[in-house]
Amino acid sequence: MASSSSTPTPRTATPPSRSAPTSAAARAPISTARTNLRQVADTFDSPAQALVAFERVHGAAMRPGPAPLTDTERAAAQARTSPPTAEPEPPYPQPETVPAYAADAGDHDALLEAFLDAHGDWEKWRTWSDETTHAIHESQTLRIERVHEAHPRETAWTIAAYETPVSDRMWVLTATGATPAPVLQELLDHLADGDGWDTAVGAPVDEKTVAATTQPLSEAGWKHTVDGRWIGWTSPAGDAGVRFDAFAAQHPSQNLATWTVWAGPDPDRPAWALTASPHTPSSLLADLSETLAHGTGTGRTNTARRPRSVRLRPSPPAISPPATGHTISRGL
């Protein structure tokens, strides 16, 4: 065994390796560190001899297999194998039974298609634009205009009635795009029954007519108020109501919005609204009042919904008096 000294170098505290050192050199030295001097402990003619000597000196510290994982390696392995912890998603709004005026709008186009399929005395007409569909009764005295992509607060439905196919309009009713499905279904059912389509054009809207129209609301405990020209009925929760405009009722020839049905936090900016002119049949309005007072529908428990992207479009043209034959223009 040869021993020699080298130039003093700083001491390096290196723990013994758990695997025997290997070298491509023919002569493999083993060095040991003592104080601040590095000494060559032995030299060997082959790596095999060096491995035997290393095992003899450090055998107590040697273990079979790979070296244990460090803390960093263990954390990295756990991160690779453990599934990521997903953040809890907000609960999806669950359907529940709500008053008809608070129900979801549903699919208005599907309601119209079902109505036309079930009643052969109504015929669908397409205009030059795919944005609007007209449905006309075989008598040509009652017509529906449906605007397919109307904003929820814009007019999406217009229903107009005429005394004859070529006469002026007797009454008109409109509904916005967010009108609940139960309310709209009640309206279509009344049109299908054909009960009370016509009305006495020259007859004024008197107190008796108003009382008959709103009787279901009064019986259901809706609050009755009078504020100047406005007479109102508001739901017990204050989130829906019916307003009667006494001034508009005195000008029936102008077809002003005499009746307004609304729901939402504010009657001046409702979530949806339905308006009707003075000579709208009282039986139709009474059926709508009954639906508001006692009808139910499907709504959602979570009312904070993501705003829907909508495309604003101009208000549809007014329904014009019908013409004879089967030629349809832009408006009804």
Side-chain angles (χ1 to χ4, degrees):
M1 177 180 296
S3 175
S4 63
S5 300
S6 61
T7 304
T9 58
R11 180 181 178 184
T12 58
T14 304
S17 173
R18 286 162 169 71
S19 301
T22 59
S23 174
R27 298 178 63 81
I30 293 182
S31 62
T32 61
R34 181 177 299 172
T35 65
N36 64 339
L37 301 177
R38 183 175 297 279
Q39 296 179 344
V40 177
D42 206 345
T43 59
F44 305 91
D45 295 332
S46 68
Q49 293 178 359
L51 291 173
V52 172
F54 185 88
E55 184 177 1
R56 183 176 61 252
V57 176
H58 301 290
M62 296 176 62
R63 298 290 185 272
L69 297 177
T70 64
D71 293 341
T72 302
E73 293 172 333
R74 189 178 298 108
Q78 183 177 3
R80 287 194 300 268
T81 57
S82 300
T85 303
E87 295 183 0
E89 297 182 357
Y92 185 76
Q94 298 298 315
E96 64 174 355
T97 300
V98 296
Y101 58 79
D104 292 334
D107 190 339
H108 283 194
D109 291 336
L111 288 175
L112 178 60
E113 291 297 329
F115 171 78
L116 295 173
D117 291 342
H119 303 93
D121 51 345
W122 286 81
E123 187 174 359
K124 179 169 69 174
W125 293 78
R126 302 291 293 186
T127 65
W128 59 273
S129 171
D130 290 336
E131 296 181 353
T132 305
T133 295
H134 293 164
I136 304 176
H137 188 258
E138 61 184 7
S139 67
Q140 297 191 17
T141 60
L142 192 63
R143 299 191 173 197
I144 301 173
E145 181 182 69
R146 162 74 178 135
V147 180
H148 297 287
E149 296 184 5
H151 186 275
R153 289 188 175 93
E154 289 184 351
T155 298
W157 294 80
T158 301
I159 300 171
Y162 307 86
E163 188 174 6
T164 70
V166 294
S167 67
D168 293 333
R169 190 168 54 190
M170 292 194 304
W171 57 267
V172 60
L173 182 147
T174 67
T176 59
T179 302
V183 175
L184 190 59
Q185 186 64 63
E186 176 59 40
L187 175 61
L188 293 174
D189 289 345
H190 187 93
L191 297 179
D193 292 340
D195 179 23
W197 285 4
D198 54 356
T199 183
V201 177
V205 183
D206 54 18
E207 184 179 351
K208 181 179 179 181
T209 302
V210 174
T213 299
T214 59
Q215 182 177 355
L217 304 177
S218 301
E219 293 177 349
W222 286 41
K223 183 180 179 180
H224 179 232
T225 58
V226 178
D227 183 11
R229 60 188 280 185
W230 306 103
I231 303 175
W233 295 260
T234 308
S235 65
D239 53 355
V242 175
R243 291 198 303 184
F244 174 76
D245 185 350
F247 174 81
Q250 301 304 315
H251 301 79
S253 61
Q254 300 180 21
N255 278 323
L256 300 176
T258 303
W259 296 93
T260 301
V261 181
W262 62 273
D266 185 355
D268 295 323
R269 186 172 174 79
W272 66 269
L274 182 151
T275 65
S277 63
H279 293 303
T280 303
S282 59
S283 58
L284 187 156
L285 296 173
D287 287 346
L288 290 177
S289 296
E290 181 71 24
T291 300
L292 295 174
H294 303 291
T296 59
T298 301
R300 300 286 175 177
T301 56
N302 183 6
T303 57
R305 305 173 185 171
R306 180 178 298 178
R308 186 178 64 175
S309 176
V310 296
R311 179 170 61 87
L312 296 179
R313 64 182 305 279
S315 300
I319 297 180
S320 58
T324 57
H326 296 287
T327 301
I328 298 299
S329 63
R330 175 68 178 109
L332 288 182

